[in-house]
Amino acid sequence: MRKDTEKVYQKRIVQYKAEVKAKDKLLSSIHRISSLLTRPISLEKVLTAITEETAIVFGFTRVDISLVNEKDPNLLECKYVMGFSPEERERALGSPFRVDKHDCVETRTVKTGKVIYLKDYETDERLTKIDLKLAKIYSRVSGIAAPLKIKRNVIGFIGGDITSKKLALTRNEIKLFSTFANQASIIIENALLHEQNKQKIEQLLSLQEINKKTSSAMSLKKLFHVISANALRITKASSCMLLLAESDSKFLRIVSQRGYSDTDIKKFRLKIGEGIVGWVAENGISLLAKDVSEDPRYIEVKKNVKSELAVPLLSEKKVLGVLNVDSCEKDAFNNDDLELLMIFAGHTATLIENVRLYEQVITEKNFAENILESSPNGVVTVDCGRSISSVNRKAEEILCLKRDEIIGKRVSDVFEKNISEIIDSALNNRKAIENRETERMGKNGSVVTLGISSSFLKSHDKNVAGIIITIQDLTEIKKTEELISRMDRLSSLGQLSAGIAHEVRNPLASINFNVQMLSKKLDMDDKIRSIVSDTIEGIDRLKKLVKGMLDFTKPGIPSLKRGVINDVVRDSIALIDAQIKKRNIYLETKLGKDLPEIVFDPVQMQQVFVNLLLNAVEAVHEGGTINVKSTMGNNSNGNEKQLLVYIADNGPGISPENLSKVFDPFFTTKPEGTGLGLSITCKILEQHNAFIDVLSKENRGATFVLRFPVNSVVEKAGYVSI
Ligand SMILES: Nc1ncnc2c1ncn2[C@@H]1O[C@H](COP(=O)(O)OP(=O)(O)O)[C@@H](O)[C@H]1O
Ligand SMILES: [Mg+2]
């Protein structure tokens, strides 16, 4: 009896020991998988660890884990298998169960939330047709499945068996398996949450990244590209398009897309109000179409789109456009995606507005710069610190300075005192300058007359930020003004002198006759003879003057012929050759070859050259030099060809105060001069539509420049032609 009891005890001890061992095994196994809880680990790894531990603790050769689909609770999908042959594995992972349709151990475990242990497939009456079919496929002879539960909610099951071998599990072991499954559920749930978090974090990170990327200045085109790429990324959609409202606000136009082929969107232009996207644009409300086939608004743009998510881009209640993502799967987007895309769209709308504004500012800036560049006036801006901040092309030309060399430099370091003083006083007195005239040395030493005006440059807060200086080159205008006033003087003086000449001519003729007669008288003493001869000399001078006056007033209508100007120049030189030789003057000619023929009156033109050459001869000292040059050139605007003749001497030159007077009739500095030579010259040239100019500096000679038009401008002027 005692022995029997002892045996029973011993048996129990063995049994307990075994149980303790099993529990120990289970506990350490649970401990191992629970340690996964503390670490963020992927679902894949968690499932691997659980199946491995299950196999170790319960001695299964095959373990599988299936989970209920999050979006469709009717769908039970196998997520992980262990110990399956490749074919078995492929089949298991690829054939989900429908909980309402398929009646089998797997779906029953999920439905009932209870462990199902099928010890023997041959005898068990609970087996359905599907169970038997599966048993055949997987060579299953027995098996166990425990539900994976989170707070009474079944999220899937874990199953185990031994290929072609019956299981022999004790009640305790079945209970342990259930406990193990519960623990595994928590870990799986945790991993699922972790997976979701990871996705959210990833989305947030990409939002942040977009923020970073797009806050730097970029073109609209690039921005659109970044937006669609990232919309796709954060929603994991298969295609995406960004549409913006056209300026008439009636249509939407695709500005960027991903995942569409050219044929999809070839002629795509969406009317606001049409389609899901058009509806979103019209109403300014986001829309999540889980199944587009059920939405009457849906218009097919791309084949196989099953679900779509569209959010408006709003800026101050105005709909700028729509950001649209879609997927080839039904129900691909959830509310989280919607929320995220809305946050993204909000940010995007502001960015698009900003970049648009920026581009508009740039366009306006370019426009202003273009106007400034093509301005006929020179424009220079100077900041309050007296540094040059901008220079336009005309200013470069007038000032003969390169902008790269002067921008950033101080006004006083670039300009002469007279100009920098004008700028200084305008800035100091905060008073604009109007048409102040000043002079400056030009490139070739010629004096350039500048007209300077200024206005203030205001900053956005209306403070004076600097000064805008407008510069005009008045040199040509001055010359023209001078010419006009010269002509004026000439014509009034001409009329006066014509009258005088007429009045003087007749009495002078009789005086001349009388004196001539008187001189023939033989009985004059020497004293009287000398008086008479002085009188004759005086009369000669008066005759010359009267002739000059008449020549000047009536040089006669030119008889124009086409000819070579060099020939006239040579003839004129020949006429004064004797005087040149007598005074030992060196005359150098550089007459241009192949000069075009021009239209002129040869007699009058000879008068012009003789006048100028004589003046030069009279100006130079003994042994002086005269240079005569003819060449082709441009007018001062550079838009017309001209034939130029220079007559230069190295005489005393003309003083600045006389420079403007030399063309006036009767202006002379010579005791014997008539002061009519240059005024006649001027008049003749005027009739030929040609110009004369003088450049001179005291003690450095004088240069007269004659400019003849080469195109028949003379004919246009209304004179007789050839
Ligand atoms: N080549 C020259 N060099 C210096 N002065 C000149 C020259 N040509 C003309 N002039 C000045 O212009 C004045 C007017 O010349 P012009 O009309 O020919 O009259 P005139 O020779 O009779 O004085 C001259 O008196 C002289 O002062
Ligand atoms: Mg003269």
Side-chain angles (χ1 to χ4, degrees):
M1 184 70 192
R2 253 192 76 199
K3 256 194 176 167
D4 281 352
T5 1
E6 221 169 79
K7 260 188 182 165
V8 171
Y9 281 146
Q10 263 173 3
K11 209 177 160 190
R12 276 203 188 151
I13 288 168
V14 171
Q15 212 176 322
Y16 284 148
K17 268 190 179 163
E19 269 176 32
V20 167
K21 212 175 155 192
K23 278 203 172 143
D24 191 41
K25 219 171 164 186
L26 178 77
L27 275 175
S28 61
S29 191
I30 286 179
H31 175 75
R32 272 200 299 277
I33 57 168
S34 296
S35 68
L36 297 178
L37 268 174
T38 54
R39 276 179 283 151
I41 200 158
S42 73
L43 182 67
E44 168 93 12
K45 274 198 183 147
V46 163
L47 294 178
T48 317
I50 292 172
T51 44
E52 272 170 9
E53 292 299 333
T54 315
I56 293 169
V57 178
F58 301 97
F60 302 141
T61 58
R62 291 193 297 202
V63 184
D64 59 322
I65 297 175
S66 293
L67 296 177
V68 174
N69 186 295
E70 247 180 287
K71 284 172 190 158
D72 183 359
N74 198 26
L75 208 62
L76 182 63
E77 295 163 312
C78 182
K79 290 287 178 194
Y80 200 82
V81 293
M82 199 209 87
F84 281 50
S85 71
E87 300 82 47
E88 286 170 347
R89 179 192 155 84
E90 196 181 329
R91 183 175 160 111
L93 293 175
S95 3
F97 297 103
R98 292 224 147 260
V99 181
D100 57 354
K101 255 191 16 227
H102 301 130
D103 186 12
C104 52
V105 178
E106 289 83 352
T107 56
R108 241 179 295 146
T109 316
V110 170
K111 265 195 273 190
T112 57
K114 288 196 173 122
V115 181
I116 299 179
Y117 174 43
L118 297 162
K119 201 173 171 185
D120 189 349
Y121 267 50
E122 271 169 23
T123 55
D124 206 305
E125 283 167 8
R126 289 172 296 174
L127 292 171
T128 63
K129 266 188 191 165
I130 300 175
D131 283 329
L132 292 172
K133 204 174 140 196
L134 291 171
K136 225 173 175 186
I137 293 169
Y138 295 109
S139 322
R140 193 175 280 158
V141 289
S142 91
I144 186 165
L148 298 168
K149 282 195 281 191
I150 296 291
K151 293 185 198 148
R152 292 211 192 115
N153 191 13
V154 183
I155 62 160
F157 75 83
I158 175 164
D161 73 341
I162 301 171
T163 321
S164 313
K165 200 180 159 196
K166 282 176 198 155
L167 297 174
L169 299 172
T170 63
R171 288 189 72 185
N172 257 332
E173 279 171 328
I174 295 168
K175 233 172 129 188
L176 282 178
F177 185 59
S178 170
T179 317
F180 183 82
N182 285 342
Q183 195 60 30
S185 312
I186 298 168
I187 296 157
I188 290 172
E189 174 75 358
N190 191 49
L192 282 172
L193 281 174
H194 171 67
E195 206 97 307
Q196 272 178 16
N197 277 345
K198 218 173 92 186
Q199 205 177 337
K200 277 235 165 98
I201 289 169
E202 210 171 82
Q203 287 172 332
L204 286 173
L205 281 176
S206 57
L207 263 187
Q208 199 189 17
E209 195 188 323
I210 297 158
N211 260 334
K212 248 196 274 167
K213 257 194 196 162
T214 48
S215 44
S216 52
M218 61 161 79
S219 72
L220 267 182
K221 209 172 147 199
K222 198 170 165 207
L223 176 67
F224 294 155
H225 187 75
V226 171
I227 291 169
S228 53
N230 283 290
L232 207 67
R233 195 170 126 202
I234 56 177
T235 55
K236 302 218 156 44
S238 34
S239 45
C240 158
M241 57 166 88
L242 173 66
L243 305 101
L244 292 186
E246 287 183 348
S247 49
D248 61 3
S249 297
K250 281 192 189 137
F251 287 92
L252 292 166
R253 181 173 56 88
I254 299 179
V255 291
S256 166
Q257 57 86 12
R258 284 288 176 107
Y260 287 89
S261 68
D262 287 346
T263 42
D264 289 338
I265 51 162
K266 210 173 181 183
K267 289 180 193 141
F268 194 70
R269 192 164 168 255
L270 191 70
K271 200 168 177 185
I272 291 183
E274 269 178 11
I276 288 180
V277 169
W279 184 89
V280 169
E282 188 175 52
N283 297 286
I285 304 168
S286 305
L287 196 136
L288 169 56
K290 293 191 181 236
D291 181 355
V292 290
S293 66
E294 278 173 16
D295 197 313
R297 289 166 290 205
Y298 179 70
I299 297 174
E300 187 182 285
V301 178
K302 183 184 160 185
K303 280 207 161 36
N304 299 327
V305 167
K306 298 271 167 52
S307 53
E308 183 171 337
L309 177 56
V311 295
L313 302 180
L314 298 167
S315 89
E316 291 183 16
K317 296 212 177 122
K318 206 179 126 215
V319 180
L320 290 182
V322 177
L323 186 55
N324 179 71
V325 291
D326 35 37
S327 168
C328 304
E329 277 168 37
K330 263 189 202 165
D331 211 2
F333 311 108
N334 58 22
N335 283 335
D336 281 354
D337 295 320
L338 180 84
E339 228 168 83
L340 202 72
L341 201 63
M342 275 167 70
I343 297 173
F344 180 56
H347 173 68
T348 298
T350 326
L351 269 174
I352 291 178
E353 287 250 290
N354 285 349
V355 175
R356 271 186 176 169
L357 274 176
Y358 178 74
E359 290 201 346
Q360 199 179 328
V361 168
I362 294 289
T363 312
E364 276 166 20
K365 187 173 164 264
N366 286 346
F367 180 65
E369 274 175 6
N370 275 345
I371 290 181
L372 206 63
E373 265 313 276
S374 50
S375 163
N377 293 328
V379 180
V380 174
T381 57
V382 173
D383 63 24
C384 290
R386 313 293 193 264
S387 290
I388 296 170
S389 46
S390 79
V391 177
N392 78 343
R393 197 168 42 213
K394 190 71 187 178
E396 282 186 307
E397 189 188 313
I398 296 175
L399 300 169
C400 301
L401 292 166
K402 287 261 154 281
R403 66 184 92 183
D404 297 347
E405 289 161 10
I406 59 171
I407 286 179
K409 286 202 178 150
R410 289 180 65 82
V411 169
S412 52
D413 295 336
V414 173
F415 296 120
E416 294 77 5
K417 212 171 158 213
N418 55 341
I419 299 177
S420 64
E421 269 174 8
I422 294 175
I423 297 169
D424 247 0
S425 82
L427 270 171
N428 287 340
N429 307 330
R430 291 278 190 270
K431 204 164 169 243
I433 314 158
E434 265 179 55
N435 286 326
R436 183 86 54 87
E437 267 180 36
T438 186
E439 282 180 347
R440 184 167 188 271
M441 270 303 167
K443 221 184 202 166
N444 46 13
S446 59
V447 176
V448 182
T449 312
L450 300 179
I452 297 183
S453 299
S454 80
S455 54
F456 288 103
L457 196 63
K458 298 258 169 83
S459 63
H460 63 281
D461 50 8
K462 304 265 184 327
N463 284 328
V464 172
I467 188 169
I468 306 169
I469 300 145
T470 317
I471 305 167
Q472 265 182 302
D473 184 348
L474 299 178
T475 319
E476 279 307 306
I477 296 173
K478 283 264 131 191
K479 269 191 193 158
T480 317
E481 273 176 12
E482 175 63 28
L483 196 73
I484 290 168
S485 83
R486 192 195 296 163
M487 290 303 164
D488 262 6
R489 286 200 303 269
L490 283 179
S491 78
S492 50
L493 274 165
Q495 277 161 18
L496 184 75
S497 49
I500 297 171
H502 263 292
E503 291 302 315
V504 172
R505 196 161 56 164
N506 291 341
L508 190 64
S510 44
I511 295 170
N512 188 29
F513 177 76
N514 292 341
V515 175
Q516 292 288 344
M517 289 294 291
L518 206 64
S519 70
K520 299 242 162 59
K521 278 208 155 196
L522 297 169
D523 54 348
M524 282 192 284
D525 60 22
D526 282 356
K527 204 174 168 195
I528 295 180
R529 199 175 294 280
S530 127
I531 293 171
V532 169
S533 110
D534 277 359
T535 311
I536 291 175
E537 232 171 76
I539 291 170
D540 274 350
R541 272 185 59 201
L542 270 175
K543 265 163 69 185
K544 212 169 113 195
L545 183 68
V546 168
K547 188 182 175 295
M549 275 163 128
L550 288 172
D551 274 355
F552 166 63
T553 47
K554 278 200 209 103
I557 296 171
S559 151
L560 299 174
K561 285 196 180 74
R562 200 169 276 281
V564 181
I565 203 79
N566 286 347
D567 293 345
V568 188
V569 175
R570 280 191 207 100
D571 289 349
S572 310
I573 293 172
L575 279 177
I576 55 151
D577 198 42
Q579 303 193 46
I580 290 177
K581 291 220 169 91
K582 203 170 112 198
R583 301 205 48 213
N584 213 6
I585 292 165
Y586 176 66
L587 189 135
E588 191 188 40
T589 50
K590 261 195 212 157
L591 303 180
K593 286 181 187 129
D594 305 326
L595 295 181
E597 290 195 337
I598 56 168
V599 171
F600 58 90
D601 178 329
V603 179
Q604 288 189 351
M605 210 43 74
Q606 191 170 317
Q607 204 182 338
V608 165
F609 288 121
V610 169
N611 272 342
L612 294 170
L613 288 165
L614 275 179
N615 277 350
V617 169
E618 282 161 11
V620 295
H621 301 288
E622 280 263 334
T625 310
I626 299 173
N627 282 296
V628 181
K629 189 173 130 187
S630 63
T631 177
M632 284 306 290
N634 282 325
N635 68 344
S636 54
N637 294 334
N639 54 12
E640 208 178 274
K641 285 251 172 274
Q642 288 182 327
L643 199 163
L644 308 177
V645 181
Y646 297 85
I647 296 167
D649 63 63
N650 66 351
I654 304 163
S655 66
E657 65 267 26
N658 286 347
L659 206 57
S660 59
K661 295 184 201 153
V662 291
F663 295 103
D664 286 351
F666 309 116
F667 173 80
T668 179
T669 52
K670 302 169 193 167
E672 304 275 291
T674 61
L676 285 172
L678 286 180
S679 52
I680 291 170
T681 297
C682 220
K683 189 110 179 182
I684 293 173
L685 289 172
E686 186 199 343
Q687 289 189 344
H688 283 79
N689 235 351
F691 297 97
I692 182 162
D693 240 339
V694 58
L695 310 167
S696 177
K697 273 199 189 143
E698 260 181 310
N699 301 322
R700 282 167 71 183
T703 303
F704 285 83
V705 190
L706 282 71
R707 299 168 179 275
F708 296 94
V710 282
N711 305 320
S712 292
V713 187
V714 196
E715 282 148 304
K716 277 189 227 152
Y719 296 104
V720 195
S721 174
I722 320 173

